[in-house]
Amino acid sequence: MGWGDFGGGGQWSGSVVVAGDPDALDEMVAELEGEEVRVRRVPVDYASHSAHVEGIREELLRVLADLQPRSSEVPFYSTVTGELVDTAQLDAEYWYRNLRQTVELESTTRTLLDAGHTVFIEVSPHPVLTLPVQQTVEAAESRAVVVGTLRRDEGGAERFLTSAAELHVSGARVDWQKVFAGHGAHRVELPTYAFQHERFWLDAPAVWVMWVRWGWVRWGIRCWVRWCRWRVVAGCC
């Protein structure tokens, strides 16, 4: 393609991330824009998931050498391996691989879907993965709820509670007692209506009801007779 030195990144259904030399990326962006391909630069100053990371491998291993990972209580699905892993294996070498290798977001999402998970929450200052996760869910012809937590310029409790409400109305279980603990919130009964459990049909003798029904029958017969007479006069019969 003649775009210089670049490679690596991440991939998911319908999207791809490319990392490499800035000049090479500028050339690629310009050419893709000329072909009307949707593309944008990610505002970072380092080329993760590319060969550029190899230059800091030894330093990274040294800095993270004292890590003492342990097994977690919550199942951990890794975007390095694309599958469920024991977090006791998350040593310095794992985190180097996490920074160097391709992000296996799509395969990990599919693994989660196959395991029966139907709720995906991106915990971040601004959602960047909700769209590709939703695309993967749709490509897998599955059903799942995909939401974020906060948004750019909306980092307060209101935005967080709105996201929790989005989960709730989508069918996910939200522990509202913990959410509102210490705030004095409590359940209230829904308002009732004056007509609840009341009927407004008129009570009438059975004879009157029969007369009304017979009246409708007689009216129907008269309409049918008049229609037939009209067709005879008009020469239609």
Side-chain angles (χ1 to χ4, degrees):
M1 289 179 285
W3 289 334
D5 183 19
F6 71 92
Q11 182 174 343
W12 46 79
S13 180
S15 304
V16 64
V17 178
V18 178
D21 292 338
D23 293 340
L25 293 176
D26 288 339
E27 294 179 27
M28 183 190 70
V29 170
E31 184 165 335
L32 291 177
E33 288 179 338
E35 298 176 1
E36 297 185 351
V37 176
R38 185 175 181 273
V39 59
R40 68 182 180 87
R41 293 292 296 265
V42 179
V44 295
D45 54 3
Y46 52 90
S48 299
H49 314 294
S50 73
H52 287 244
V53 179
E54 296 175 3
I56 62 171
R57 180 178 185 276
E58 298 305 321
E59 179 183 0
L60 190 62
L61 294 178
R62 178 181 59 79
V63 171
L64 301 179
D66 295 334
L67 285 179
Q68 298 180 354
R70 61 180 179 83
S71 298
S72 64
E73 298 179 2
V74 178
F76 184 88
Y77 288 78
S78 170
T79 55
V80 175
T81 65
E83 57 189 19
L84 180 66
V85 301
D86 184 352
T87 54
Q89 305 172 9
L90 272 54
D91 56 8
E93 182 63 34
Y94 171 87
W95 291 112
Y96 167 72
R97 290 166 53 208
N98 179 279
L99 193 62
R100 170 64 182 89
Q101 294 180 189
T102 300
V103 180
E104 300 293 341
L105 178 63
E106 180 180 6
S107 61
T108 306
T109 302
R110 288 180 178 271
T111 300
L112 287 163
L113 290 170
D114 292 340
H117 295 282
T118 57
V119 179
F120 294 82
I121 305 173
E122 180 182 352
V123 182
S124 65
H126 186 77
V128 294
L129 300 178
T130 52
L131 177 59
V133 169
Q134 184 63 53
Q135 290 175 334
T136 301
V137 171
E138 294 173 357
E141 297 183 347
S142 299
R143 294 175 63 87
V145 179
V146 184
V147 301
T149 48
L150 305 177
R151 291 183 178 275
R152 186 179 296 111
D153 300 325
E154 295 181 66
E158 182 177 354
R159 177 65 253 179
F160 184 83
L161 291 175
T162 300
S163 298
E166 291 175 0
L167 280 172
H168 179 74
V169 299
S170 297
R173 180 180 177 275
V174 177
D175 191 341
W176 292 111
Q177 290 186 345
K178 289 186 177 180
V179 172
F180 294 114
H183 296 280
H186 62 279
R187 289 180 177 271
V188 296
E189 295 293 333
L190 292 176
T192 57
Y193 299 91
F195 56 81
Q196 187 176 20
H197 304 306
E198 295 183 18
R199 59 187 296 272
F200 289 90
W201 293 107
L202 296 176
D203 293 322
V207 176
W208 184 84
V209 173
M210 292 178 62
W211 182 86
V212 171
R213 290 178 179 174
W214 173 240
W216 279 106
V217 171
R218 288 189 298 172
W219 179 82
I221 293 174
R222 289 176 180 176
C223 289
W224 179 78
V225 171
R226 289 176 181 176
W227 177 76
C228 288
R229 288 177 178 173
W230 175 83
R231 289 175 61 89
V232 171
V233 172
C236 299
C237 294

